[in-house]
Amino acid sequence: MTSQLLYFTDEQAPALRLAAACGLPAAAVERHRFPDDELRLRLPLAAGEAPADTLVLYRSLDRPNEKLVELLLVAGEARRLGARRLLLVAPYLAYMRQDIAFQPGEVVSQKVVGQFLAGLFDAVITVDPHLHRIATLDEAIPHGDALSLSGAPLLAGLIAARVENPLLVGPDAESRQWIEAAAATHGFDYGVCSKVRHGDRDVEIALPALAVRGRAVVLLDDVASTGHTLARAARLLGAAGAASVDVAVTHALFADDALQLLGEAGVREVWSSDCIAHPSNAVSVAPLLAEALGRLGVGAG
Ligand code: R5P
C-alpha cells in the first residue's frame, strides 16, 4: 500500500513539517486561477501514473470558501483515478461556529460542511474545532474517523518556557477546558472571564475575581478572529494592574486589523500554533498531527 501527502504551495512549510514528522513523501497540487476565477488543479502524477492508495490532503480551512472547492475537485479526481483512501488534515476547520439556526431558514453551516467533508474523505483530522453546543466532532462530521486534537498543551509548554510564573486567563467560558488542562499540567495560577457577545466586533467581558496586579498574564484561547475578545480582556487586565499581557492562540485567524487592535490594547507578545500559517506562529502541531495519522495507520506515527 502506498501513501502520499498532497499540499498546496501556500501551505508548503507546515505541510512539509507534517510530511517529515510522519515520514510520508509529499508533493504539491498545481493550481491555476483562470481570469474568470475558476480553478484548474493538477495532481502531481506522471503520464499513466495512478495516485497513491492512501492520499493525505493537507489543507487548513481558514479563508475557506475557495478551499472547499479545491477539496471537492482534488478528492473527486483522486477517487476517479483510483485512490482508495482519502484523508483530510485540516488543522483549522471552518464553518463550525454556526451549529444551530437562530432564525428559521438560517443555514446550519456546521452540519452542511460536515456532511460535505464526510462525503469526500474517509477521515478528517483537525485541531481545536470550534464546537459550541455539540460535544464531539463526529456529531459535525458524521463518520467514525473524525479526529479532534488540541493545540493547548503545546501552547501551555511554550508559555511555561517563555513566561516566569504566568497567570493564565481564559477570555470566555469556552476557554475553561484549555485553561484548566494547561494549569493542571504546569501548575499555573488561572482564571476565566465571562463574555457576552453583542455583535461581530462588540463583546463585553468581565474579569474573574483574581489578584492581577503585578502579574505576567497570558491570555489563552482557541481562536482570535477580529481580536476584539482578546483586546477587551487585555485592556481590563492592564487596567487591573497586570505587569504584562501576552496572548497565545491555537488558530491565528487575525482578520483585518486584529493584530493592531491587540497592540493598542497593550498586548506584548502574540504566539500561535502553525494550524494557520501566520507570522505569530511559535509552535508546530506537526508531531500532534503525525501521531493522529499514525493512529489511522498512516505514516510512521
Ligand atoms: C469564541 O467562543 C472563541 O473562543 C473566540 O473567543 C472568538 O471566536 C474570538 O473572536 P474574536 O477574535 O472575533 O473576538
Side-chain angles (χ1 to χ4, degrees):
M1 294 282 277
T2 54
S3 306
Q4 186 183 37
L5 186 139
L6 298 182
Y7 62 90
F8 287 79
T9 51
D10 59 317
E11 292 179 318
Q12 183 168 34
L16 292 184
R17 281 196 285 273
L18 174 58
C22 59
L24 283 181
V29 175
E30 218 175 271
R31 182 184 194 274
H32 171 77
R33 181 201 293 278
F34 290 109
D36 58 13
D37 272 356
E38 289 186 14
L39 298 174
R40 184 189 69 215
L41 303 179
R42 182 177 161 266
L43 303 185
L45 294 171
E49 187 188 4
D53 301 311
T54 298
L55 285 178
V56 177
L57 180 60
Y58 184 98
R59 202 63 175 135
S60 202
L61 293 174
D62 54 304
R63 281 90 189 163
N65 296 346
E66 195 162 275
K67 290 179 177 178
L68 291 173
V69 176
E70 291 170 354
L71 299 188
L72 175 71
L73 296 172
V74 169
E77 186 60 12
R79 293 267 189 221
R80 207 179 68 76
L81 294 176
R84 292 193 202 160
R85 194 169 177 223
L86 292 181
L87 285 72
L88 174 66
V89 174
Y92 178 72
L93 193 55
Y95 283 115
M96 292 293 110
R97 274 177 262 198
Q98 193 76 30
D99 56 2
I100 57 168
F102 291 96
Q103 297 177 56
E106 203 167 71
V107 174
V108 182
S109 59
Q110 185 189 80
K111 296 278 180 219
V112 176
V113 171
Q115 285 283 359
F116 174 72
L117 297 178
L120 295 179
F121 295 96
D122 300 297
V124 176
I125 298 174
T126 190
V127 184
D128 291 330
H130 201 93
L131 306 177
H132 262 290
R133 281 158 284 249
I134 65 167
T136 60
L137 184 60
D138 54 15
E139 291 176 54
I141 303 177
H143 61 50
D145 282 334
L147 300 188
S148 170
L149 315 173
S150 180
L154 291 171
L155 291 171
L158 179 92
I159 293 164
R162 301 220 179 161
V163 184
E164 204 184 322
N165 189 26
L167 170 63
L168 205 59
V169 174
D172 55 26
E174 279 157 5
S175 61
R176 179 174 290 280
Q177 52 188 307
W178 304 297
I179 297 288
E180 286 185 343
T185 311
H186 296 277
F188 299 145
D189 297 332
Y190 71 96
V192 176
C193 303
S194 52
K195 175 170 95 177
V196 180
R197 184 175 284 283
H198 298 295
D200 288 346
R201 292 179 170 75
D202 184 7
V203 293
E204 199 181 310
I205 287 197
L207 291 183
L210 273 180
V212 169
R213 183 158 301 280
R215 297 296 306 266
V217 178
V218 181
L219 282 161
L220 174 71
D221 205 0
D222 58 341
V223 54
S225 178
T226 66
H228 279 272
T229 296
L230 292 169
R232 187 82 200 106
R235 280 188 193 281
L236 293 173
L237 288 161
S244 59
V245 181
D246 300 317
V247 157
V249 290
T250 304
H251 300 300
L253 279 173
F254 292 125
D256 306 326
D257 59 352
L259 274 183
Q260 189 186 330
L261 205 68
L262 293 185
E264 289 165 1
V267 169
R268 183 177 65 172
E269 299 275 349
V270 178
W271 302 303
S272 64
S273 82
D274 64 351
C275 284
I276 295 173
H278 188 267
S280 62
N281 290 171
V283 283
S284 170
V285 293
L288 200 67
L289 299 171
E291 188 275 328
L293 280 169
R295 274 190 266 152
L296 297 175
V298 180

